[in-house]
Amino acid sequence: MTVASNVKQCLANLKGIEANLSSLALRSQDNDTKRTLHETMMTVNEIVTDLKKRVGELEREEFQYKGL
């Protein structure tokens, strides 16, 4: 597996984690738990955003990674 493939797989996993945290926050009855899950989801979202930028950089730097 190439570096770009590994990074994209990591990105997909993080998006799944972000969705799960959001779902848990919505279903939670406890306000403190909701807040903690939401804050964690927002932190993961920042990482997802940064990783998306890195994927773009990889694709620009390494022609063979385009479209993976």
Side-chain angles (χ1 to χ4, degrees):
M1 203 177 258
T2 65
V3 171
S5 296
N6 285 333
V7 172
K8 287 182 178 183
Q9 182 63 48
C10 181
L11 180 59
N13 289 337
L14 284 168
K15 286 181 178 181
I17 291 167
E18 182 181 11
N20 286 336
L21 288 167
S22 177
S23 176
L24 287 169
L26 291 172
R27 289 185 284 149
S28 178
Q29 300 296 318
D30 180 62
N31 285 334
D32 288 337
T33 301
K34 279 185 182 216
R35 183 173 45 254
T36 300
L37 288 167
H38 181 74
E39 289 171 0
T40 304
M41 182 199 69
M42 295 306 294
T43 300
V44 171
N45 181 266
E46 290 176 24
I47 295 167
V48 165
T49 301
D50 290 344
L51 205 51
K52 282 181 185 177
K53 290 176 189 174
R54 182 60 185 138
V55 166
E57 291 170 6
L58 277 171
E59 289 178 342
R60 280 190 299 280
E61 292 172 3
E62 303 292 339
F63 181 76
Q64 71 266 25
Y65 295 148
K66 284 194 185 236
L68 292 179

